Amino acid sequence: MKDIANLVGMYMKTTAKSWFQYRVDTVLKSLAVFLRESTEIIVIYFTLLKFKELNGWDIYEMLFLYSLIFLTYGIMIIFFTGLRDFGSTVRSGSFDRFLLRPRGELFQIIFVNSDWFAAVGHGSLGVVLFLVSAGRVGISWTPALALYYIFSIAGGVLIQGAVFLFLASLNFFLLETGSLKELLYYNMRRFAGYPISIFHRFIQFLMIYVMPFAFVNYFPAQYFLRKSDINAFPEIFMHITPAVGAVMYLFAYLFWRYSLRFYKSSGN
Amino acid sequence: MICFEKVSKYVLSDVSLYIPKGVCVGLIGPSGAGKTTLIRLACGLLEADNGNVITLGKNPVKHRGHFGSRLSVFMSGVPLLCLDETVKQGFELIKEVYHIPEKNFSKDYSRLADRLGFNGFDSLIVKNLSLGQRMRAELGASLICRPELLLLDEPNIGLDEIGKAVLCELIKECCERGMTVLLTSHDMTEISKACDRLAVLNGGRLLFYGSEEILKSRYVPTDVMTVTLCGSLPDLDDLPLNRYSVEGNTLTLSYNSNYVTAAEIIKLILEQTEISSVDIKKPDLESVCSSLSEHAIIS
């Protein structure tokens, strides 16, 4: 156990060192991620200046909803960068190295690399949005609520990690999965910036049962905000984000183990 | 240490090969002969369609990742050091991953860094190194865990002559300490010095397995002798020569060393005339391999 902690510490230290070796580069790239992601927020901000509210949600409630997306992504990408870039890891032969080493493949994929620019960019945006909105949406924080919030974040991280793990597993069957990830993950994430109650039933179905972003931000946010549109969904949905995350991750892991048997190294 | 039993996979068909402990085997053959496939089978990255592979007494596919520091693999497509870290950091990570004791590590590291010459650039980031520098560091990385079995796929790519010589010495020393080595190369002239046995692959078939001397004498026993004369041309009609040509006062003879020895030829020439110099060329491995391939196609 101590030895594993040592190794994780070492991996973290080396990746952070190599990502942060050029100070200006770090600041600029993290800032670029921050600004790129902010554009969506700015669009929403100006829209709501005009309309005041969206299906009963005012600007700060929308920002609170958004902050969950960025916070979970910022934390998630620290651990799951290796899965995001898994296609190129396989093609470059690094995955063969992971297979030959006396450590779990998944352990190595998770800890060998972290996209710190994305983590800092998304994470800081999430923190900013949270700080701006949390005081203005009428939440009276209690220890229980804080605990619920932490568990929801963890659940959101696991849900997105499970999707990345599932998509990475598909690399064993398909040569190129980048566009699938674009379609299934990044495009769906754009929907998640809005309360899902504004969408058509089909989109709602996708957001709850196919790519469950609704559990990453909408349902946890509703637990705090209790907007009236929650009545369209079962009440239990507000409480099960951590469970959804854990179950999805478990299934993604089992699928990963199964797919690994089909792995043929790319050769030279 | 490694046993291939009637193995078939991709181009390989019906290959049987046994490599005992402490022996260095060089796999040679042209591109596409199946050398890399054999290495990948041995380390468990590929599973044989037919036949058995046993590595260190285990099924390498099932036991993959559990050999620990007993098995080390060097392949050009499978980098051991991450591109974004310095050489030193990469070694530190390997030390941690393989549980190498600090005492062994620091001793081996300074020895390898010194011998392979990467102590001059071990604080540089791997992706900024030249190909040759990177190969030196990677070779060091494959040896640092003191493996019982070392698989090297094309280890001399990018190495200069000194690098190749150092690699040969290192391999020899390791074998003397009981390490088993299987290496591949399509250019064996330098690296073959480290090998106790050679295995020749072509078109997925194992054509020969044994020592270099036997290989040479059995398949291309043709030596070439160049004699510079000081007098008249000698009469060599009685000798079983393959070729005989004269250019000025230089006489070039090629002969089968199984039928006639150099001493006999020289003796006969000296009985008739004077000689100023003699040069004898033994066949090199390249010509052995190409002749072996022709043999295989004919038979």
Side-chain angles (χ1 to χ4, degrees):
Chain A
M1 214 44 217
K2 184 171 165 274
D3 148 73
I4 287 178
N6 264 351
L7 189 60
V8 168
M10 212 155 162
Y11 277 140
M12 288 277 182
K13 217 172 74 188
T14 25
T15 52
K17 230 184 202 166
S18 65
W19 280 87
F20 295 135
Q21 60 178 315
Y22 307 109
R23 295 282 152 78
V24 181
D25 189 58
T26 305
V27 171
L28 287 181
K29 280 199 177 138
S30 304
L31 191 67
V33 174
F34 184 93
L35 291 177
R36 184 188 71 203
E37 300 300 329
S38 307
T39 51
E40 285 177 54
I41 311 287
I42 292 166
V43 169
I44 290 180
Y45 184 77
F46 280 111
T47 315
L48 283 174
L49 275 185
K50 193 101 177 161
F51 294 102
K52 294 287 183 265
E53 58 173 39
L54 193 65
N55 210 10
W57 292 62
D58 71 17
I59 178 69
Y60 292 113
E61 288 160 346
M62 291 286 288
L63 295 185
F64 185 73
L65 185 67
Y66 239 119
S67 73
L68 284 165
I69 288 273
F70 289 118
L71 276 176
T72 51
Y73 189 82
I75 297 170
M76 189 273 275
I77 207 66
I78 296 176
F79 297 105
F80 297 108
T81 301
L83 292 172
R84 185 192 68 186
D85 305 337
F86 188 63
S88 61
T89 307
V90 169
R91 282 189 295 276
S92 74
S94 296
F95 187 58
D96 289 344
R97 173 186 59 183
F98 294 157
L99 285 175
L100 292 173
R101 284 191 169 169
R103 302 285 174 160
E105 306 87 15
L106 204 52
F107 172 82
Q108 296 182 69
I109 292 167
I110 286 175
F111 290 109
V112 162
N113 202 1
S114 303
D115 183 347
W116 284 100
F117 298 155
V120 171
H122 285 88
S124 56
L125 184 57
V127 170
V128 168
L129 292 179
F130 178 79
L131 292 178
V132 169
S133 62
R136 296 182 175 141
V137 290
I139 305 170
S140 50
W141 289 92
T142 61
L145 269 187
L147 201 65
Y148 173 88
Y149 188 79
I150 291 167
F151 269 96
S152 300
I153 293 280
V157 167
L158 276 181
I159 288 172
Q160 294 172 78
V163 173
F164 274 30
L165 183 55
F166 173 76
L167 289 170
S169 309
L170 288 181
N171 273 293
F172 297 127
F173 306 102
L174 311 168
L175 270 175
E176 176 54 52
T177 56
S179 42
L180 193 65
K181 186 157 59 212
E182 198 61 38
L183 179 79
L184 203 66
Y185 184 81
Y186 289 103
N187 280 337
M188 294 295 278
R189 203 176 75 165
R190 257 172 231 143
F191 287 125
Y194 300 87
I196 62 165
S197 54
I198 67 168
F199 295 116
H200 184 263
R201 285 202 157 276
F202 176 67
I203 303 283
Q204 290 184 6
F205 176 82
L206 289 181
M207 296 290 284
I208 293 173
Y209 298 106
V210 179
M211 176 55 247
F213 268 119
F215 289 102
V216 177
N217 68 341
Y218 180 73
F219 292 124
Q222 277 288 22
Y223 185 81
F224 292 96
L225 305 175
R226 304 287 172 155
K227 309 300 290 181
S228 59
D229 55 333
I230 189 64
N231 296 329
F233 306 100
E235 209 211 320
I236 181 85
F237 281 1
M238 289 191 292
H239 303 279
I240 55 173
T241 291
V244 170
V247 170
M248 276 183 69
Y249 193 81
L250 180 70
F251 275 102
Y253 179 72
L254 292 176
F255 181 63
W256 162 266
R257 299 280 346 157
Y258 170 77
S259 312
L260 198 55
R261 281 195 260 152
F262 295 89
Y263 174 70
K264 293 193 176 69
S265 54
S266 54
N268 300 6
Chain B
M1 282 278 141
I2 315 180
C3 181
F4 294 94
E5 208 179 352
K6 299 195 168 176
V7 169
S8 300
K9 179 75 184 180
Y10 301 152
V11 67
L12 292 179
S13 65
D14 228 19
V15 171
S16 296
L17 182 66
Y18 172 67
I19 300 169
K21 187 174 160 60
V23 168
C24 176
V25 175
L27 258 180
I28 50 179
S31 307
K35 303 186 294 286
T36 302
T37 307
L38 206 65
I39 295 273
R40 284 179 179 269
L41 284 167
C43 65
L45 285 177
L46 285 176
E47 190 166 18
D49 295 335
N50 276 313
N52 288 320
V53 182
I54 297 163
T55 304
L56 293 163
K58 302 267 173 35
N59 176 339
V61 176
K62 291 206 176 110
H63 211 66
R64 184 178 64 199
H66 298 283
F67 287 114
S69 60
R70 297 180 68 198
L71 171 69
S72 184
V73 186
F74 169 93
M75 275 189 266
S76 52
V78 185
L80 293 167
L81 301 168
C82 277
L83 288 179
D84 295 316
E85 52 197 35
T86 67
V87 176
K88 187 81 210 250
Q89 279 171 345
F91 273 86
E92 294 279 347
L93 272 178
I94 289 173
K95 173 192 155 200
E96 209 64 40
V97 168
Y98 285 97
H99 298 292
I100 304 171
E102 175 62 40
K103 213 179 79 198
N104 294 356
F105 178 80
S106 51
K107 205 172 89 191
D108 284 9
Y109 182 80
S110 54
R111 186 176 59 91
L112 287 169
D114 192 41
R115 293 287 291 279
L116 286 162
F118 58 81
N119 47 4
F121 51 83
D122 68 353
S123 54
L124 294 182
I125 289 172
V126 174
K127 68 180 166 201
N128 297 339
L129 300 179
S130 76
L131 176 66
Q133 289 176 322
R134 210 167 115 194
M135 283 301 155
R136 284 162 183 263
E138 292 260 330
L139 284 167
S142 68
L143 283 164
I144 194 80
C145 66
R146 295 190 179 177
E148 284 174 47
L149 175 62
L150 177 64
L151 304 173
L152 299 168
D153 191 21
E154 303 283 358
N156 50 358
I157 285 183
L159 288 184
D160 53 15
E161 293 309 312
I162 303 165
K164 285 177 192 172
V166 170
L167 178 63
C168 273
E169 283 169 33
L170 279 174
I171 291 174
K172 266 188 188 160
E173 287 166 24
C174 290
C175 284
E176 276 161 23
R177 273 188 269 128
M179 189 170 79
T180 312
V181 182
L182 174 62
L183 60 86
T184 75
S185 181
H186 53 254
D187 157 37
M188 288 300 289
T189 37
E190 190 64 40
I191 206 89
S192 67
K193 285 174 197 151
C195 299
D196 303 303
R197 300 184 191 181
L198 296 177
V200 182
L201 268 182
N202 196 347
R205 291 181 179 277
L206 187 66
L207 303 182
F208 174 83
Y209 182 44
S211 73
E212 190 179 342
E213 288 69 38
I214 297 174
L215 176 65
K216 282 180 179 169
S217 64
R218 193 184 300 169
Y219 289 97
V220 190
T222 317
D223 293 4
V224 177
M225 182 192 289
T226 315
V227 186
T228 313
L229 301 165
C230 293
S232 57
L233 277 178
D235 173 16
L236 301 171
D237 285 350
D238 289 345
L239 292 175
L241 297 176
N242 295 349
R243 226 183 69 211
Y244 174 103
S245 68
V246 187
E247 211 182 296
N249 56 353
T250 318
L251 185 62
T252 310
L253 309 168
S254 67
Y255 57 94
N256 187 325
S257 57
N258 289 345
Y259 304 142
V260 58
T261 63
E264 285 167 346
I265 300 174
I266 294 170
K267 190 170 162 236
L268 192 66
I269 297 174
L270 281 176
E271 278 168 9
Q272 302 172 41
T273 179
E274 306 265 305
I275 297 176
S276 69
S277 76
V278 179
D279 178 48
I280 300 171
K281 272 208 175 71
K282 288 275 177 189
D284 59 4
L285 267 175
E286 304 270 307
S287 54
V288 174
C289 288
S290 56
S291 116
L292 199 56
S293 310
E294 281 159 25
H295 257 274
I297 293 159
I298 294 160
S299 62

